[in-house]
Amino acid sequence: MRIGILTSGGDCPGLNAVIRAAVLTGMKHHGHEFVGIRDGYRGLKEGDVRALNRSSVRGTSRIGGTILGTSRTNPYEGEKGGAERIAETLRRLGIDAVMAIGGEGTLAAANRLAGDGIPIVGVPKTIDNDLDATDYTFGFDTAVQIATEAGDRLRTTGDSHMRCMVLEVMGRHVGWIALHTGIATGAHVTLIPEQPRSIEWVCDYVQAVYDRRRAPLVVVSEGFKLEGMDEEYSRKGLDAFDRPRLGGIGEVIAEMIEQRTGIESRATVLGHIQRGGAPSGADRVLATRFGLAAVDAITERAWGTMVSLRGTDIVRVPMSEALGDLKRVPEHRYREAELLFG
Ligand code: F6P
């Protein structure tokens, strides 16, 4: 078979490891050929492809980003969009199957394309770890590792100045990155979207820590809402999918802490540093295993499915399973972390 691979949506460490594993195993063990589709669904609509072979994927599993480029293009929009036009483009390029690597938006589009007869399988990715159909996604471990290092660094400078340091991490509507970073850094308070809290509640912990001569570290997820806030904090407009661009709640919290407690406070927004650079070892392994399993799914023509991690096994599930509810942090996981706050 001639297989087209695309990466779509926000990038994430580990994308190249999926591509590399798929190309190497597909060529060696199944006799498949590969092409890389540039910039996600944009390249699929426009037939913009490049060759993919052993030499083009050499050494790439340890490199961040995506060698294919990415975009947040909707395959159903525009003159060249829609399943019929895409089927024509695939025929013209001699592509028999598509592997779509992406998050919820990408998989939703892939699922619709599969329903419209496009031979496509999915590979889930996101640093947010919010996809319900898989226990973990690659990119998450790397993001937590980077945020943990940042938190450790904030603690030493915080200790030197006896300041309250607030670290804002990504995660959109879910608090997995914040939860894990908070536990790993020994943060004194962790704030996640699933658990709104009052500023007084936050300040009580901060003050108690300060009173015993420690510099408080607060980890806050970008989607956290203080009690009484109707929506997540967003001052940067909308993204290509009309979703609010989050970021900035850390600064708000730091100012409120300083005003209420008099403790000098500083906020750091980690931002896209969490998505850039080399994937962790664990993410390289998970991404590689996803790549191998996705080639099996294509070889067996399991259109409309995606690969997923269940426990330590890689399994195949309908893509629709990734499109229901987000995988939120359960209350008991937050309560567990809260035992060590303050
Ligand atoms: O979904 C991954 C993610 O990094 C979120 O954590 C974050 O809110 C968003 O993407 C940022 O998107 P963009 O790269 O479009 O600014």
Side-chain angles (χ1 to χ4, degrees):
M1 270 194 246
R2 190 168 148 89
I3 299 169
I5 303 183
L6 64 83
T7 53
S8 161
D11 75 340
C12 161
L15 290 169
N16 292 325
V18 179
I19 299 166
R20 171 182 169 274
V23 170
L24 293 185
T25 192
M27 291 180 76
K28 186 169 176 193
H29 298 292
H30 303 279
H32 296 321
E33 271 177 52
F34 288 86
V35 291
I37 300 169
R38 289 197 180 92
D39 303 337
Y41 289 123
R42 183 201 65 76
L44 185 65
K45 289 199 294 194
E46 295 175 11
D48 186 3
V49 298
R50 52 166 276 191
L52 264 188
N53 51 36
R54 272 198 86 90
S55 66
S56 40
V57 299
R58 186 185 301 136
T60 53
S61 62
R62 55 182 177 272
I63 298 173
T66 162
I67 57 170
L68 300 178
T70 185
S71 70
R72 295 199 193 271
T73 305
N74 184 334
Y76 279 89
E77 275 173 9
E79 206 186 301
K80 294 179 180 168
E84 273 176 34
R85 297 298 307 272
I86 287 173
E88 258 172 55
T89 306
L90 292 177
R91 265 195 303 277
R92 175 166 61 78
L93 296 169
I95 297 176
D96 306 302
V98 177
M99 181 187 300
I101 313 170
E104 211 199 354
T106 303
L107 296 171
N111 190 46
R112 187 171 164 198
L113 287 169
D116 288 342
I118 302 292
I120 189 165
V121 304
V123 177
K125 68 92 211 161
T126 157
I127 64 163
D128 302 336
N129 197 37
D130 60 356
L131 284 174
D132 207 16
T134 179
D135 289 352
Y136 284 99
T137 39
F138 61 86
F140 172 66
D141 183 70
T142 308
V144 170
Q145 189 175 298
I146 293 166
T148 299
E149 193 192 329
D152 290 348
R153 288 175 186 276
L154 290 177
R155 289 200 74 161
T156 64
T157 173
D159 282 342
S160 307
H161 294 266
M162 276 309 286
R163 287 173 173 158
C164 173
M165 305 305 279
V166 177
L167 172 62
E168 179 186 307
V169 298
M170 282 185 164
R172 209 175 266 286
H173 307 299
V174 303
W176 288 109
I177 297 177
L179 184 84
H180 282 224
T181 303
I183 294 173
T185 55
H188 301 100
V189 192
T190 300
L191 302 169
I192 63 172
E194 293 87 341
Q195 298 286 336
R197 289 290 185 274
S198 69
I199 193 64
E200 290 75 24
W201 184 90
V202 177
C203 287
D204 283 351
Y205 277 127
V206 167
Q207 189 68 59
V209 173
Y210 191 80
D211 288 349
R212 52 168 223 275
R213 306 282 315 136
R214 298 300 307 278
L217 174 68
V218 178
V219 173
V220 56
S221 182
E222 62 181 0
F224 170 72
K225 287 185 286 198
L226 281 164
E227 274 172 11
M229 279 170 70
D230 291 336
E231 307 208 319
E232 289 131 338
Y233 187 85
S234 168
R235 294 286 182 278
K236 300 181 196 159
L238 304 177
D239 70 11
F241 283 107
D242 285 339
R243 300 175 305 188
R245 289 176 57 205
L246 304 182
I249 186 71
E251 195 68 58
V252 172
I253 302 254
E255 268 178 37
M256 287 179 153
I257 290 173
E258 187 163 308
Q259 271 169 14
R260 282 178 167 68
T261 62
I263 301 168
E264 196 181 353
S265 302
R266 295 284 190 274
T268 299
V269 180
L270 208 48
H272 291 79
I273 288 172
Q274 290 156 101
R275 281 200 349 220
S280 67
D283 278 340
R284 294 181 205 186
V285 172
L286 180 57
T288 298
R289 294 183 73 205
F290 275 176
L292 301 178
V295 168
D296 288 342
I298 288 177
T299 306
E300 292 167 31
R301 298 175 184 276
W303 314 132
T305 66
M306 61 171 240
V307 295
S308 141
L309 179 72
R310 286 297 185 210
T312 54
D313 294 329
I314 307 293
V315 299
R316 208 180 283 167
V317 299
M319 274 194 275
S320 53
E321 275 192 26
L323 308 176
D325 273 350
L326 292 178
K327 181 175 64 201
R328 297 177 200 279
V329 175
E331 186 166 349
H332 73 270
R333 287 294 312 273
Y334 190 68
R335 298 267 170 240
E336 180 185 272
E338 198 181 347
L339 293 172
L340 298 178
F341 288 1

